Amino acid sequence: MKLLRVGEKGSEKPAILDGDGVVRDLSGVVTDIGGETLTPEGLARIRATDVGVLPKIEGTPRIGPCVANVGKFICVGLNYADHAAETGAKIPDEPILFMKATSAIIGPNDDVIIPRNSIKPDWEVELGVVIGREARYVEQTQALEHVAGYCVVNDLSERHFQTERGGQWVKGKSADTFGPIGPWLVTRDEIADPQDLSMWLEVDGHRYQDGTTRTMVFGVAHLVSYISQFMSLQPGDIITTGTPPGVGMGIKPEPVWLKPGNVMRLGIDGLGEQRQNVRAWQG
């Protein structure tokens, strides 16, 4: 299933994409796409619905974030061997974890705002893993059973804030609009192997990132199991799993940073595409 949320910010309603690509209203079946809806029982309720009789959502409404009320937005750093190489970093012995503020979350096609005092804003196409069942001290062999589905994430970063202002990476990752997710959540049963997905990102039509989840250092099952050793994972939590090479900071001979007027497009096989206009902060 491809689940999404449509409508103006703060007023999104749950929807599903039918087999013909028509958006259908799910608000008569579930209250939203998040929390209880993402549990095995909640997804079973949607699967039992005759999607063909649900009301069509006409026109081209805004697509909101594909998950509502995200509890934790957990990020994994340097998780692609080829990305670590382009940055000159050592491949980590264990996953590098950090958090991204949930207030950064926006829809997949909403504008991205470069924050005040930004010097080095950057892009990162990533595979997002959406939790559907509570995970606590989960073994790797059972880890994927706790996944509701997957989505595209643009893990936008301000590298100056992240690496040159001291402290943890979170302040370089958490500006408002720095977390587009969607367009939809694709349930786990539709993705045969999360470690075999092509992914890409373009800025103004130039393809900078063209990678695959095959080069992840730590795969999805490993990450879910590993993170569950340190904190419980709850339905609706998102793990964004790292980026392949081609980020702005890694461009040679000189880095390339986002600037107002840029247009980003990015996507992952089977999970859809995002498109964001980049604007300057006003205020």
Side-chain angles (χ1 to χ4, degrees), residues 15-20 22-29 45-58:
I16 187 169
L17 202 65
D18 72 14
D20 296 319
V22 175
V23 180
R24 302 275 184 170
D25 189 347
L26 265 180
S27 56
V29 181
R45 187 161 57 251
I46 297 174
R47 286 194 182 92
T49 301
D50 183 354
V51 173
V53 303
L54 295 176
K56 295 181 181 180
I57 296 178
E58 305 291 350

Side-chain angles (χ1 to χ4, degrees), residues 55-74:
K56 295 181 181 180
I57 296 178
E58 305 291 350
T60 54
R62 168 186 174 268
I63 300 177
C66 59
V67 180
N69 302 315
V70 175
K72 293 191 286 295
F73 202 172
I74 305 166

Side-chain angles (χ1 to χ4, degrees), residues 44-279:
R45 187 161 57 251
I46 297 174
R47 286 194 182 92
T49 301
D50 183 354
V51 173
V53 303
L54 295 176
K56 295 181 181 180
I57 296 178
E58 305 291 350
T60 54
R62 168 186 174 268
I63 300 177
C66 59
V67 180
N69 302 315
V70 175
K72 293 191 286 295
F73 202 172
I74 305 166
C75 306
V76 183
L78 298 176
N79 194 36
Y80 282 69
D82 38 7
H83 171 55
E86 77 170 341
T87 62
K90 176 182 177 291
I91 294 175
D93 295 324
E94 294 190 32
I96 296 172
L97 304 182
F98 59 95
M99 308 294 277
K100 194 175 185 86
T102 57
S103 54
I105 293 173
I106 58 171
N109 305 314
D110 292 344
D111 289 350
V112 165
I113 310 300
I114 296 176
R116 187 167 65 180
N117 301 321
S118 172
I119 298 174
K120 300 177 179 180
D122 203 350
W123 58 81
E124 295 187 20
V125 60
E126 302 200 4
L127 173 66
V129 178
V130 183
I131 299 300
R133 175 185 290 167
E134 183 180 67
R136 184 182 287 111
Y137 302 115
V138 173
E139 296 296 327
Q140 191 168 328
T141 52
Q142 281 81 50
L144 294 185
E145 298 172 12
H146 296 262
V147 173
Y150 305 96
C151 66
V152 180
V153 176
N154 190 351
D155 178 24
L156 287 141
S157 309
E158 211 303 333
R159 303 299 188 187
H160 177 63
F161 297 174
Q162 178 186 357
T163 63
E164 301 171 39
R165 296 284 301 270
Q168 299 181 343
W169 289 1
V170 62
K171 65 188 179 187
K173 297 284 188 171
S174 296
D176 291 350
T177 77
F178 269 28
I181 62 172
W184 36 73
L185 182 158
V186 180
T187 51
R188 177 167 53 92
D189 57 293
E190 291 201 9
I191 302 300
D193 183 0
Q195 304 310 144
D196 190 21
L197 300 174
S198 296
M199 54 207 307
W200 55 272
L201 181 145
E202 298 175 350
V203 180
D204 295 340
H206 179 84
R207 183 158 295 198
Y208 285 98
Q209 293 190 274
D210 202 351
T212 170
T213 58
R214 290 193 297 273
T215 66
M216 275 189 188
V217 179
F218 305 104
V220 172
H222 184 111
L223 292 173
V224 171
S225 173
Y226 181 84
I227 295 169
S228 78
Q229 310 305 309
F230 303 99
M231 66 192 84
S232 66
L233 295 169
Q234 304 296 329
D237 287 349
I238 296 177
I239 303 168
T240 190
T241 54
T243 197
V247 298
M249 69 180 295
I251 304 300
K252 302 294 189 296
E254 294 291 336
V256 176
W257 308 116
L258 289 169
K259 59 183 184 296
N262 286 154
V263 177
M264 287 180 286
R265 290 183 59 245
L266 57 148
I268 300 177
D269 279 357
L271 301 182
E273 297 184 10
Q274 300 184 357
R275 182 186 185 281
Q276 295 114 25
N277 294 315
V278 180
R279 297 197 293 111

